[in-house]
Amino acid sequence: MNLTHLTLKSSNVKTGPIPVSTSSSATCSPTCPFINSGCYAASGPLAIHWSKVTSGTRGMDWQSFLSAIYSLPVGQLWRHNQAGDLPGIGSKIDSKQLSELVKANKGRRGFTYTHKPLSATNLKAIAKANDKGFVVNISANSVAHADSLVQHGLPIAAVVPQSSPDRFVSPGGNRVVICPAQRIENMNCDKCRLCAKGDRSIIIGFRPHGTGARKVEAIVSR
């Protein structure tokens, strides 16, 4: 059984004191280029926590997790998956479970990111989630990749080279802004909330960070 963990008050300085969840690594798509090659969640204290969720020694079943989301205060900002991906094993999104999560999130400000491939069924599920207020950011592996994803009309977050300026225009003519928490002192997700805005046209850029930053940089710069 895949478990999901919910931390009601994160101690992560980048997210700020908001609820954050963690899903099993089984939800990660094998097509993600950062698996075993720089994934920030695969090292440090988060990796230890993630391994316990994946092994089933920490976390709760899906229905209990949904109940926990229903119990969050109305208007609460929360991040789904500091590690892991949308419900569903590997590359496929479990549309039923995602719909259940979207329903539980109603009135709250849940946001997340996904590296699941954009098959027709996955794309439909992601678009529906965004339409109903649960913001799913499409994770792009580079600026060029982000440019190719704009056509879908969904919020995008892209990994960008370390040397990227704080604000720039992509080769495809799209505006990119570096995550404020990476460039403004004492900024965090709770204060910024940009990734929780599903109707934005700006691409959020993330410079590689963590112990695997050099590996990520190599992939992004190809």
Side-chain angles (χ1 to χ4, degrees), residues 108-210:
R108 294 142 192 99
R109 298 195 61 188
F111 71 100
T112 191
Y113 309 84
T114 184
H115 250 115
K116 301 268 193 184
L118 298 183
S119 64
T121 52
N122 282 357
L123 192 59
K124 182 178 179 180
I126 293 169
K128 182 179 178 180
N130 277 284
D131 285 344
K132 292 185 177 294
F134 182 65
V135 180
V136 180
N137 290 273
I138 305 301
S139 294
N141 308 324
S142 65
V143 175
H145 186 207
D147 277 341
S148 73
L149 298 175
V150 169
Q151 61 178 310
H152 300 299
L154 296 168
I156 299 171
V159 185
V160 301
Q162 287 281 6
S163 59
S164 299
D166 289 349
R167 292 179 175 80
F168 63 96
V169 176
S170 73
N174 299 295
R175 291 185 298 159
V176 182
V177 61
I178 299 300
C179 165
Q182 287 192 319
R183 56 187 174 80
I184 302 174
E185 188 175 2
N186 297 321
M187 181 57 69
N188 57 41
C189 296
D190 192 22
K191 295 176 182 177
C192 173
R193 306 192 171 206
L194 194 55
C195 287
K197 295 180 180 179
D199 60 352
R200 69 173 197 273
S201 59
I202 296 172
I203 296 169
I204 310 299
F206 289 92
R207 296 178 178 125
H209 58 283

Side-chain angles (χ1 to χ4, degrees), residues 25 28-43 47 50 115 211-216 218-219 222:
S25 63
C28 292
S29 171
T31 62
C32 174
F34 305 120
I35 287 183
N36 301 318
S37 190
C39 174
Y40 77 92
S43 61
W50 195 18
H115 250 115
T211 59
R214 292 178 66 180
K215 291 181 179 179
V216 174
I219 292 172
R222 286 174 185 168

Side-chain angles (χ1 to χ4, degrees), residues 33-82:
F34 305 120
I35 287 183
N36 301 318
S37 190
C39 174
Y40 77 92
S43 61
L46 179 53
I48 297 172
H49 171 61
W50 195 18
S51 68
K52 290 181 178 180
V53 175
T54 298
S55 67
T57 59
R58 183 178 291 177
M60 61 189 90
D61 63 45
W62 186 248
Q63 291 305 316
S64 297
F65 174 64
L66 293 176
S67 295
I69 300 304
Y70 273 114
S71 297
L72 294 177
V74 172
Q76 175 67 59
L77 180 78
W78 69 283
R79 174 176 172 176
H80 185 42
N81 291 336
Q82 59 177 338

